[in-house]
């Protein structure tokens, strides 16, 4: 098992990564100071039902209360937040209690926000179960959705630990696996050209990926995210680079209707778009054609032509990086070298028309 340490203003926390990492739960809990008084597991109902025996074998020792939440994004509603808060109150959690979050990014975001706000903040441990969660479980962003905007009610609240047991990934559907892996590729593009080359050389399919190579990829993804969030915990600067592919990607995701296309599929389309803008505005010399062929082999779409450009632009103007009416993109001058650059509507439209 690998341990990666992450520093934050609230202290350093470990990410324990490996097959069977859940075995370290007890040890992690013992190491927390002050000692934990009680536990509430907030779990994605699908994940819990698939892995009940395995999870219970660890929970029984803790005498934890269990609160199940709907699968995926539905968990991030005000309604589910209120119910989870109710469960925490009914379980009698106090200031020294710990919330355990079992599931993908959605459950982690909800449970983290419950932990951030219950009695003005108690500790929580992330037990992520998706590939995407190598990204979402690290960095301390927690949030729920408002009907008018995704992640619009949230807080920075760092976990006390992340226990990332790859055994859970065995049941993850391929489309969710692919969604999460897009963020691994994003991490390589923004920070590590050698890692990207390794991926492009070794990976021909996301089905039945070699477990050791998968763990290596998750570890590199976590390390890259760590390096960025340690520099900029509250997203005042370089943390925005993690948004590579997300300006256009979010527009595609929102236009398609959240939940109809996975987040990572949209981000991949957004990254291809941002690579072309990078070539135009920053002379990026990276071979985009080979990259497109490779991701198509992995089962990703590389372009999205269903929406009229103007509608995508209207959505992009609402992106949180936009200042005034100026859309700002994370671009690459070379792989591993991101920058935040203003891009005009005309330039974006040119790229849109260029993509065949
Ligand atoms: P998810 O939590 O939405 O889960 C996707 C689906 O996979 C659900 O149906 C879930 O039940 C299922 N699932 C999860 N683990 C499984 C497993 N092991 N076996 C079988 N099924 C499983 O997916 P996600 O992609 O991990 O998370 C997306 C969320 O993460 C979004 O809400 C996004 O806003 C958030 N996010 C947060 C951050 C952050 O920094 N906090 C970063 C990126 C994304
Ligand atoms: Zn993302």
């Amino acid at each position: 098992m690998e341990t990666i340490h992450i520093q934050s203003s609230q202290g350093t926390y470990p990410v324990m990564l490996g097959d069977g990492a859940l075995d370290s739960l007890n040890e992690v809990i013992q190491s927390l100071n002050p000692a934990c008084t009680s536990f509430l597991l907030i779990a994605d109902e699908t994940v819990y039902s698939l892995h009940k025996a395995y999870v219970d074998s660890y929970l029984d020792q803790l005498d934890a209360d269990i609160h199940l939440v709907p699968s995926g994004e539905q968990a991030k509603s005000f309604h589910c937040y209120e119910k989870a808060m109710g469960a925490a109150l009914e379980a009698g959690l106090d200031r020294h209690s710990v919330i355990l979050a079992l599931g993908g990014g959605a459950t982690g975001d909800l449970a983290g926000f419950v932990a951030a706000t219950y009695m003005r903040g108690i500790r929580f441990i992330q037990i992520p179960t998706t590939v995407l969660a190598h990204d979402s479980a690290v960095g301390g962003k927690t949030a729920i959705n408002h009907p008018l905007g995704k992640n619009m009610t949230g807080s920075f609240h760092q976990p006390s630990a992340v226990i990332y047991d790859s055994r859970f990934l065995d049941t993850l559907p391929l489309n969710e696996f692919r969604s999460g892996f897009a963020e691994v590729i994003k991490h390589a593009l923004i920070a590590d050209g050698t890692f990207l080359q390794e991926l492009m050389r070794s990976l021909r399919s996301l089905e039945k990926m070699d477990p050791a190579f998968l763990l290596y990829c998750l570890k590199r993804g976590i390390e890259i995210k760590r390096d960025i969030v340690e520099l900029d915990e509250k997203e005042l600067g370089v943390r925005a680079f993690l948004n590579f592919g997300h300006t256009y990607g979010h527009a595609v995701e929102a236009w398609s209707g959240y939940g109809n296309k996975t987040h990572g599929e949209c981000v991949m389309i957004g990254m291809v778009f941002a690579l072309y803008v990078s070539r135009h505005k920053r002379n990026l010399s990276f071979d985009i054609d080979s990259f497109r062929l490779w991701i198509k082999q992995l089962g990703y779409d590389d372009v999205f032509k269903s929406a009229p450009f103007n509608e995508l632009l209207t959505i992009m103007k609402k992106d949180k990086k936009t200042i005034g009416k100026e859309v700002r993109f994370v671009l690459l001058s070379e792989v591993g070298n991101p920058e935040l650059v203003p891009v005009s509507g005309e330039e974006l439209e040119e790229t849109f028309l260029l993509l065949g």
Side-chain angles (χ1 to χ4, degrees):
M1 193 173 56
E2 302 270 0
T3 307
I4 304 160
H5 293 281
I6 311 221
Q7 281 174 23
S8 78
S9 56
Q10 296 173 11
T12 300
Y13 59 91
V15 179
M16 327 288 284
L17 168 68
D19 179 26
L22 199 53
D23 217 23
S24 64
L25 179 64
N26 227 342
E27 194 187 313
V28 165
I29 283 170
Q30 296 301 328
S31 71
L32 295 183
N33 185 16
C36 313
T37 44
S38 56
F39 302 90
L40 174 67
L41 175 82
I42 297 183
D44 177 309
E45 60 184 3
T46 304
V47 177
Y48 185 69
S49 72
L50 286 167
H51 298 276
K52 186 174 182 320
Y54 184 51
V55 173
D56 284 355
S57 69
Y58 291 97
L59 282 189
D60 286 348
Q61 311 161 24
L62 300 177
D63 196 23
D65 280 79
I66 298 175
H67 176 69
L68 300 183
V69 297
S71 299
E73 202 62 25
Q74 304 166 76
K76 288 174 63 173
S77 67
F78 274 73
H79 175 67
C80 289
Y81 170 68
E82 188 180 344
K83 280 179 78 170
M85 273 295 193
L89 285 161
E90 274 166 19
L93 299 195
D94 61 38
R95 286 235 155 89
H96 290 179
S97 300
V98 172
I99 287 177
L100 308 168
L102 176 76
T107 310
D109 277 9
L110 167 77
F113 188 58
V114 171
T117 48
Y118 184 79
M119 292 187 169
R120 298 194 181 81
I122 63 170
R123 293 167 296 180
F124 81 116
I125 293 176
Q126 294 265 25
I127 308 173
T129 64
T130 60
V131 173
L132 185 131
H134 84 277
D135 182 353
S136 62
V138 169
K141 275 190 182 180
T142 73
I144 58 171
N145 300 329
H146 187 278
L148 294 180
K150 197 166 143 59
N151 294 329
M152 282 300 156
T153 308
S155 163
F156 284 97
H157 188 59
Q158 306 293 336
S160 298
V162 179
I163 299 179
Y164 199 173
D165 188 337
S166 59
R167 205 167 288 182
F168 291 115
L169 300 178
D170 292 346
T171 56
L172 189 67
L174 180 60
N175 67 329
E176 294 295 343
F177 191 99
R178 186 176 292 122
S179 174
F181 209 83
E183 305 277 5
V184 174
I185 297 173
K186 175 195 79 179
H187 285 131
L189 278 163
I190 61 172
D192 188 346
T194 312
F195 179 37
L196 183 70
Q197 279 170 12
E198 243 177 307
L199 289 173
M200 290 180 69
R201 210 175 36 239
S202 332
L203 208 55
R204 292 282 157 263
S205 162
L206 293 177
E207 273 174 87
K208 303 204 171 51
M209 219 176 128
D210 171 56
F213 189 62
L214 173 61
L215 279 173
Y216 166 72
C217 293
L218 295 173
K219 177 168 177 264
R220 270 312 286 138
I222 292 168
E223 286 168 343
I224 290 168
K225 175 134 191 198
R226 172 200 59 193
D227 292 346
I228 293 178
V229 298
E230 281 186 352
L231 284 174
D232 180 19
E233 187 172 326
K234 297 269 168 81
E235 197 162 336
L236 302 169
V238 293
R239 191 164 178 163
F241 296 157
L242 294 167
N243 268 293
F244 181 66
H246 282 62
T247 315
Y248 190 73
H250 275 152
V252 170
E253 195 175 6
W255 192 90
S256 312
Y258 282 106
N260 289 326
K261 272 175 130 36
T262 63
H263 173 71
E265 282 173 317
C266 298
V267 168
M268 186 56 87
I269 290 167
M271 290 197 289
V272 170
F273 191 91
L275 287 173
Y276 279 99
V277 183
S278 300
R279 178 190 279 178
H280 175 68
K281 301 253 317 165
R282 283 295 177 272
N283 291 323
L284 173 69
S285 60
F286 178 63
D287 180 357
I288 307 175
D289 290 335
S290 303
F291 180 78
R292 284 176 76 176
L293 282 175
W294 175 62
I295 58 161
K296 282 202 262 191
Q297 231 181 337
L298 299 184
Y300 294 99
D301 288 338
D302 56 346
V303 289
F304 183 70
K305 284 292 198 176
S306 315
F309 173 74
N310 278 343
E311 292 184 21
L312 294 175
L313 183 61
T314 305
I315 304 173
M316 281 190 272
K317 285 188 175 159
K318 293 187 190 140
D319 183 89
K320 62 179 187 283
K321 294 182 296 307
T322 298
I323 293 189
K325 289 215 161 77
E326 193 173 67
V327 179
R328 295 192 305 161
F329 260 65
V330 179
L331 300 181
L332 304 178
S333 52
E334 54 188 296
V335 170
N337 232 341
E339 304 171 54
L340 198 54
V341 182
V343 188
S344 70
E346 292 73 36
E347 286 167 320
L348 294 174
E349 187 162 19
E350 267 169 41
T351 304
F352 183 81
L353 296 172
L354 182 84
L355 278 163

